[in-house]
Amino acid sequence: MIVNITLPNNTSYDITIDKLNDIHFDTKVVVVTNPTVSGFHLDYLKKYLSAKELSVVTIPDGEEYKNMSTIDMILNHCFEHRLDRKSLLVAFGGGVIGDMTGFAASIYQRGINFVQIPTTLLSQVDASVGGKTGINNKYGKNLIGAFHQPKAVLIDPSMLKTLPKREFGAGVAEIVKMAVTFNKDFFEWLEQNDLTSDENIKIAIAKSVETKADVVSKDEKEHGIRAALNYGHTFGHVIENETNYNTYLHGEAVGIGMVMANKLAVKVGLMNEEEALRVKNLLEKYDIPTSYSIKDVEDFYEHFFLDKKSLDNKIKFILPKGLGDCVITDEVSKNDVIEVLKEF
Amino acid sequence: MIVNITLPNNTSYDITIDKLNDIHFDTKVVVVTNPTVSGFHLDYLKKYLSAKELSVVTIPDGEEYKNMSTIDMILNHCFEHRLDRKSLLVAFGGGVIGDMTGFAASIYQRGINFVQIPTTLLSQVDASVGGKTGINNKYGKNLIGAFHQPKAVLIDPSMLKTLPKREFGAGVAEIVKMAVTFNKDFFEWLEQNDLTSDENIKIAIAKSVETKADVVSKDEKEHGIRAALNYGHTFGHVIENETNYNTYLHGEAVGIGMVMANKLAVKVGLMNEEEALRVKNLLEKYDIPTSYSIKDVEDFYEHFFLDKKSLDNKIKFILPKGLGDCVITDEVSKNDVIEVLKEF
């Protein structure tokens, strides 16, 4: 299965969703990965990937290493191996690996190509479209980075066999997000089909990727509709922050965030109770958490303003409009938000 | 005088060459400058520049600070002042300030706008077109960076009054470079006119900028003809490196480099002796150095290969073809090069 992504500058790249096939690059290639992915899949990758000169840099696993020091590790490896402007980086891992490899590629000698081989469901459906790369710093997440598009994305769903169940669920949460905000047919298909089947997960990945590509193509630099991809994230980011990023996976926090956004959508009349329940049921089918206990509602509310997407002290909410559509609004009253938060 | 620069994505920006005029930005603005420029010109700038919220970050002066730590200083200032995605950086200084401010702007929240107000002749003619930004590291110069175009460039030639004479000459060297490689009429105009006159320097800046813009527009990412802008640089970089970057200004090293390239052009029959002499005379009119004493010819030759532009172990020379034209070639024999180097 191949999804072709057209970029605003009229170039394009392919997302191939299938078992890996032989690929040869006639350039120097550096594979960026972490010990976990490397342990499970590096030998498998090396069976198929060859290059003029292939080397691997293994960086520490985890969001806490998504910083400039790790970028330096990657860049230094590239300099030591004398990569030139035609060389290529391969991001082999989850979202953190993808974001960092893409960022390193974007600034190495003012930009070289990179290929994504995402190994988690979340990164397969989410990180392979959009060109967002970046790192965290003490001020927040993804605050330093670049828009840098991959040359190609290779998604091999067979790698998901080694993915922990919770991480699989976190990926499903992003798939559900895409369906709820943009595609009612897809949502209904998700209700009727089991994503743990090999064939279905391929279809779901392709559908998610196509949907995201369609949105991103209309808004590469996130000035408008692309913000809708943050459905569940406004709440999710606060949850992640309150729990010090060590309780929920990103996709899980987004799952809870969607349930919160839905309650708000019901409150302001954009969604009915039954629709909200269907989303919740679908999430729970994959054991994605949907409840959360807010300690201090006012404090939770104040946290919204720390989000970099909150310009001019207004909070932008992405609220579903029924199923398969959504609105982006900064006109929800504080009162309505507080009342919804009190239910958690 | 305004030169409009069209970019490949069909956006464009203006380079205004004139005394500063009132400019107001309805966003947060951070001016990035250094103590020298700030001492001479910051009050002058503040007379004309206003913003919704204006702050200044002063970074240390000099190429040795063109590194990631200084970028962090700039970014941290931006985070502390809570710049958002609509905010703007202003590069107020020479090439180092321009390169670093542009790079910081390119990675702050995945890219915000920046405006160049170059204060040296070199940066006025060279750094204001092309979108190259970057920093140095232990592996070499400008090895980390991005292509990031300014929103506007404001060149006020009155700021050149405080520029040391050597730095003025270094800027003239780049102007001569542009004329020799691309524009014979401009070269002859330069022979006949004195650049220390207010009116003439404006014309020369505009002409240089137009010429460079024309080249860059044909080749934004430096795959072909843009390499011709490196005329004098292949030799110049080695000279800078051999003298530890503390003997010659960049433009001065390029001046010597052009004289070397010309000798090689004469040797391979692309230029005649008289043409080479005219270039040398023009450089010397502005006290730009044209001689250099090479200690070890073989060693000098080996240095070429450390240049990042030397892919596949071939040295790419940019050689003038008469006056106003040039060729890019990697087919000059080592023997010819060595013989030319022996003359220095």
Side-chain angles (χ1 to χ4, degrees):
Chain A
M1 230 176 260
I2 291 179
V3 181
N4 181 267
I5 307 291
T6 305
L7 301 171
N9 62 358
N10 286 321
T11 59
S12 75
Y13 67 90
D14 282 342
I15 301 181
T16 307
I17 306 161
D18 239 317
K19 279 193 81 66
L20 281 182
N21 228 313
D22 288 334
I23 356 161
H24 178 77
F25 294 101
D26 194 25
T27 55
K28 292 191 185 184
V29 169
V30 170
V31 175
V32 183
T33 189
N34 65 35
T36 315
V37 174
S38 167
F40 280 127
H41 304 295
L42 190 61
D43 286 344
Y44 176 74
L45 177 68
K46 282 185 167 172
K47 256 189 252 169
Y48 298 100
L49 179 66
S50 64
K52 190 174 156 195
E53 203 182 298
L54 184 71
S55 65
V56 177
V57 57
T58 306
I59 61 176
D61 192 1
E63 183 89 22
E64 65 271 35
Y65 299 103
K66 193 176 169 186
N67 56 34
M68 197 54 95
S69 305
T70 311
I71 292 292
D72 274 341
M73 266 185 76
I74 300 171
L75 293 174
N76 286 346
H77 178 99
C78 296
F79 286 116
E80 298 293 348
H81 287 74
R82 303 188 68 162
L83 265 65
D84 60 34
R85 289 174 176 174
K86 290 177 179 162
S87 304
L88 182 92
L89 301 192
V90 172
F92 189 49
V96 172
I97 291 279
D99 283 5
M100 282 203 287
T101 307
F103 183 46
S106 82
I107 63 174
Y108 185 81
Q109 295 199 10
R110 299 201 188 96
I112 61 173
N113 285 327
F114 81 114
V115 166
Q116 299 249 35
I117 308 185
T119 58
T120 65
L121 183 55
L122 180 61
S123 59
Q124 289 174 350
V125 298
D126 197 46
S128 53
V129 180
K132 283 188 180 182
T133 74
I135 53 172
N136 309 329
N137 66 5
K138 63 178 173 179
Y139 301 95
K141 290 180 73 175
N142 298 316
L143 289 180
I144 294 176
F147 284 94
H148 193 55
Q149 301 289 347
K151 198 74 189 161
V153 180
L154 307 172
I155 296 177
D156 182 338
S158 79
M159 292 184 190
L160 299 177
K161 301 276 185 237
T162 60
L163 195 67
K165 186 159 175 281
R166 273 183 68 194
E167 291 209 32
F168 188 83
V172 173
E174 292 279 343
I175 293 175
V176 171
K177 178 195 83 174
M178 225 73 84
V180 173
T181 37
F182 295 111
N183 193 330
K184 189 175 184 176
D185 290 345
F186 184 33
F187 184 83
E188 286 169 351
W189 182 90
L190 287 170
E191 290 185 306
Q192 288 145 23
N193 291 279
D194 177 12
L195 295 183
T196 60
S197 115
D198 283 359
E199 204 40 47
N200 286 341
I201 195 68
K202 275 172 71 167
I203 295 169
I205 292 169
K207 202 75 205 162
S208 285
V209 155
E210 274 169 20
T211 308
K212 182 166 181 187
D214 187 46
V215 174
V216 170
S217 73
K218 289 175 184 145
D219 181 19
E220 201 201 10
K221 299 254 165 116
E222 195 166 348
H223 299 297
I225 187 189
R226 183 166 174 174
L229 296 171
N230 288 314
Y231 165 50
H233 286 64
T234 315
F235 296 93
H237 284 158
V238 179
I239 293 168
E240 284 182 284
N241 192 280
E242 281 203 343
T243 54
N244 295 312
Y245 299 93
N246 60 20
T247 308
Y248 298 104
L249 298 172
H250 174 68
E252 293 177 330
V254 169
I256 302 168
M258 288 192 279
V259 173
M260 289 179 170
N262 293 355
K263 289 238 183 202
L264 189 56
V266 170
K267 166 135 277 172
V268 301
L270 286 163
M271 198 178 209
N272 64 42
E273 297 271 7
E274 184 247 341
E275 290 162 335
L277 185 64
R278 283 170 67 188
V279 177
K280 191 160 174 275
N281 287 341
L282 181 53
L283 293 168
E284 287 174 351
K285 191 168 145 193
Y286 296 95
D287 294 327
I288 301 160
T290 54
S291 64
Y292 178 74
S293 164
I294 299 179
K295 283 140 223 107
D296 182 328
V297 165
E298 280 289 339
D299 196 54
F300 193 100
Y301 186 82
E302 282 309 311
H303 258 83
F304 287 132
F305 296 99
L306 299 177
D307 192 304
K308 70 175 177 297
K309 280 134 203 144
S310 306
L311 303 178
D312 302 325
N313 290 326
K314 284 186 174 177
I315 317 165
K316 208 185 268 175
F317 288 104
I318 294 96
L319 302 180
K321 193 172 159 188
L323 290 169
D325 195 6
C326 65
V327 298
I328 304 168
T329 172
D330 58 8
E331 293 183 345
V332 181
S333 74
K334 179 175 172 180
N335 210 33
D336 282 343
V337 180
I338 293 287
E339 282 193 19
V340 165
L341 292 178
K342 280 184 180 159
E343 298 179 41
F344 287 86
Chain B
M1 230 176 258
I2 293 180
V3 181
N4 181 266
I5 308 290
T6 305
L7 302 171
N9 62 357
N10 286 321
T11 59
S12 74
Y13 66 90
D14 283 341
I15 301 180
T16 307
I17 306 159
D18 239 316
K19 279 194 83 62
L20 281 183
N21 228 314
D22 288 333
I23 356 160
H24 177 77
F25 294 101
D26 194 24
T27 56
K28 291 190 186 185
V29 169
V30 170
V31 175
V32 182
T33 189
N34 66 35
T36 314
V37 173
S38 166
F40 280 128
H41 304 296
L42 190 61
D43 287 342
Y44 176 73
L45 178 68
K46 282 184 167 173
K47 255 189 253 171
Y48 298 100
L49 179 66
S50 64
K52 190 174 156 193
E53 203 182 299
L54 184 71
S55 65
V56 177
V57 56
T58 306
I59 61 177
D61 192 3
E63 184 88 22
E64 66 270 38
Y65 298 104
K66 192 177 169 186
N67 56 34
M68 198 51 96
S69 304
T70 311
I71 293 292
D72 275 340
M73 265 185 76
I74 300 172
L75 294 174
N76 287 346
H77 179 99
C78 296
F79 286 116
E80 297 294 346
H81 287 74
R82 303 188 70 163
L83 264 65
D84 60 34
R85 288 174 176 174
K86 291 177 180 164
S87 304
L88 181 94
L89 301 192
V90 172
F92 189 49
V96 172
I97 291 280
D99 283 6
M100 282 203 285
T101 306
F103 183 46
S106 83
I107 63 175
Y108 184 82
Q109 296 200 7
R110 298 200 188 96
I112 61 172
N113 285 327
F114 81 114
V115 166
Q116 298 249 35
I117 307 185
T119 57
T120 66
L121 183 57
L122 181 60
S123 59
Q124 289 174 349
V125 298
D126 198 45
S128 53
V129 181
K132 284 188 178 182
T133 74
I135 54 172
N136 309 328
N137 65 6
K138 64 178 173 181
Y139 300 95
K141 290 180 73 175
N142 297 317
L143 289 179
I144 294 176
F147 284 94
H148 193 55
Q149 301 290 346
K151 199 75 189 161
V153 179
L154 307 172
I155 296 177
D156 181 339
S158 78
M159 293 183 189
L160 298 176
K161 302 277 183 233
T162 59
L163 196 69
K165 186 161 176 278
R166 273 183 69 194
E167 291 208 32
F168 188 83
V172 173
E174 292 280 341
I175 293 175
V176 171
K177 179 195 83 175
M178 225 72 84
V180 172
T181 38
F182 295 110
N183 193 329
K184 190 175 185 177
D185 290 345
F186 183 33
F187 184 83
E188 286 170 351
W189 182 91
L190 287 170
E191 290 185 306
Q192 287 146 23
N193 292 278
D194 177 12
L195 295 182
T196 59
S197 114
D198 283 0
E199 203 41 47
N200 286 341
I201 195 67
K202 274 171 72 167
I203 295 168
I205 293 169
K207 202 75 204 161
S208 286
V209 155
E210 273 169 21
T211 308
K212 183 165 180 187
D214 186 48
V215 174
V216 170
S217 73
K218 289 175 185 145
D219 180 20
E220 202 201 10
K221 299 256 164 116
E222 194 164 350
H223 297 299
I225 188 192
R226 183 165 173 174
L229 296 173
N230 288 315
Y231 165 51
H233 286 64
T234 315
F235 295 93
H237 284 157
V238 179
I239 293 169
E240 284 182 284
N241 192 279
E242 281 203 342
T243 54
N244 296 312
Y245 298 93
N246 60 20
T247 309
Y248 299 104
L249 297 173
H250 174 66
E252 292 176 331
V254 169
I256 301 169
M258 288 193 279
V259 173
M260 289 179 169
N262 293 355
K263 288 236 183 202
L264 189 56
V266 171
K267 166 135 277 170
V268 301
L270 285 164
M271 198 179 207
N272 65 40
E273 297 270 8
E274 185 247 340
E275 289 162 333
L277 186 62
R278 282 170 68 188
V279 177
K280 192 159 173 276
N281 287 342
L282 181 54
L283 292 169
E284 288 174 351
K285 191 167 143 194
Y286 295 93
D287 294 327
I288 300 160
T290 55
S291 64
Y292 178 75
S293 165
I294 298 178
K295 282 140 223 106
D296 182 327
V297 165
E298 280 290 338
D299 196 55
F300 193 101
Y301 186 83
E302 283 307 312
H303 258 84
F304 287 133
F305 297 98
L306 300 178
D307 192 305
K308 69 177 178 298
K309 279 133 205 147
S310 306
L311 303 178
D312 303 325
N313 290 327
K314 283 186 173 178
I315 318 166
K316 207 185 270 174
F317 287 104
I318 294 97
L319 301 179
K321 191 172 160 189
L323 290 170
D325 196 5
C326 65
V327 298
I328 303 169
T329 173
D330 58 8
E331 293 182 345
V332 180
S333 74
K334 178 174 174 179
N335 210 33
D336 282 343
V337 180
I338 292 288
E339 284 192 18
V340 165
L341 292 178
K342 280 184 181 160
E343 298 180 40
F344 288 85

